[in-house]
């Protein structure tokens, strides 16, 4: 199941979004899960935690998915 997570600006960094969407416990976890190839953006593995996400992008970690809203 994918849920929408609203953001204030036009874009957000992947690491920030993982925390905002409660897909990780804290910001330092973003480095580990992205480096280990555990995060996908729109179905493709993403290893850059600084990647800019825009509205409509879907981020998945394990069985959880969140859409940038």
């Amino acid at each position: 199941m994918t849920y929408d997570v609203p953001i204030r600006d036009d874009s957000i960094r992947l690491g920030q979004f993982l925390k905002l969407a409660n897909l990780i416990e804290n910001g330092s976890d973003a480095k580990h899960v992205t480096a280990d190839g555990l995060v996908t953006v729109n179905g493709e593995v993403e290893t850059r935690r600084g990647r800019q996400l825009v509205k409509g992008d879907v981020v998945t970690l394990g069985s959880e998915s969140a859409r940038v809203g």
Side-chain angles (χ1 to χ4, degrees), residues 31-52:
K31 182 177 183 178
H32 302 295
V33 297
T34 53
D36 291 344
L38 302 177
V39 177
T40 63
V41 176
N42 301 328
E44 296 187 12
V45 173
E46 181 55 69
T47 58
R48 300 169 297 160
R49 73 175 192 257
R51 172 176 172 168
Q52 291 291 324

Side-chain angles (χ1 to χ4, degrees), residues 15 18-19 24-35 49:
L18 288 168
K19 176 78 172 86
I24 57 173
E25 290 289 318
N26 57 60
S28 64
D29 290 343
K31 182 177 183 178
H32 302 295
V33 297
T34 53
R49 73 175 192 257

Side-chain angles (χ1 to χ4, degrees), residues 12-28:
I12 187 171
R13 290 187 193 317
L14 175 58
Q16 294 171 314
F17 185 75
L18 288 168
K19 176 78 172 86
L20 179 66
N22 292 318
L23 294 173
I24 57 173
E25 290 289 318
N26 57 60
S28 64

